[in-house]
């Protein structure tokens, strides 16, 4: 991981809701969580949560998978390990 990518990840995690979402997805493990479930758990509107999930995704901290009409999100453990190795 280079310094630009690490800075992008730290920037994504600098907002409290995004940090909480990332921690939630780490705890969810390989099963991940559906976007609506994440929004409900965090008490955030779905459109706001969608924007936060997009930022975490661009930063390489989470990944997603379409399941019909819904999207399931997972912590990206490779991206997380890359960030830890950078540190």
């Amino acid at each position: 991981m280079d310094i630009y990518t690490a800075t992008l990840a730290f920037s994504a995690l600098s907002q409290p809701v995004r940090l909480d979402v990332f921690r939630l997805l780490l705890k969810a493990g390989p099963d991940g969580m559906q976007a609506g479930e994440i929004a409900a758990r965090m008490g955030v509107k779905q459109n706001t949560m969608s924007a936060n999930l997009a930022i975490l995704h661009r930063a390489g901290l989470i990944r997603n998978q379409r399941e019909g009409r819904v999207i399931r999100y997972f912590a990206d453990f490779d991206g997380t390990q890359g960030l830890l190795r950078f540190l």
Side-chain angles (χ1 to χ4, degrees), residues 1 23 25 41 60 77 84 87:
M1 176 173 290
R23 293 177 66 217
L25 289 173
R41 183 83 65 92
F77 290 103
L84 291 173
L87 291 175

Side-chain angles (χ1 to χ4, degrees), residues 3-20:
I3 195 162
Y4 173 78
T5 307
T7 303
L8 191 64
F10 286 124
S11 177
L13 294 173
S14 70
Q15 199 273 347
V17 171
R18 290 193 296 263
L19 180 58
D20 287 343

Side-chain angles (χ1 to χ4, degrees), residues 1-81:
M1 176 173 290
D2 61 19
I3 195 162
Y4 173 78
T5 307
T7 303
L8 191 64
F10 286 124
S11 177
L13 294 173
S14 70
Q15 199 273 347
V17 171
R18 290 193 296 263
L19 180 58
D20 287 343
V21 168
F22 181 63
R23 293 177 66 217
L24 181 66
L25 289 173
L26 285 171
K27 290 176 188 173
D31 294 333
M33 296 177 73
Q34 292 180 351
E37 183 182 0
I38 297 168
R41 183 83 65 92
M42 303 307 305
V44 176
K45 294 180 184 177
Q46 287 190 4
N47 61 340
T48 302
M49 184 53 64
S50 179
N52 284 315
L53 290 167
I55 291 168
L56 290 167
H57 187 263
R58 277 193 301 274
L61 296 170
I62 65 173
R63 58 186 178 80
N64 60 32
Q65 175 180 319
R66 180 162 289 283
E67 296 176 343
R69 294 178 50 165
V70 298
I71 300 175
R72 182 172 295 272
Y73 287 88
F74 308 85
D76 187 328
F77 290 103
D78 291 336
T80 303
Q81 287 176 352

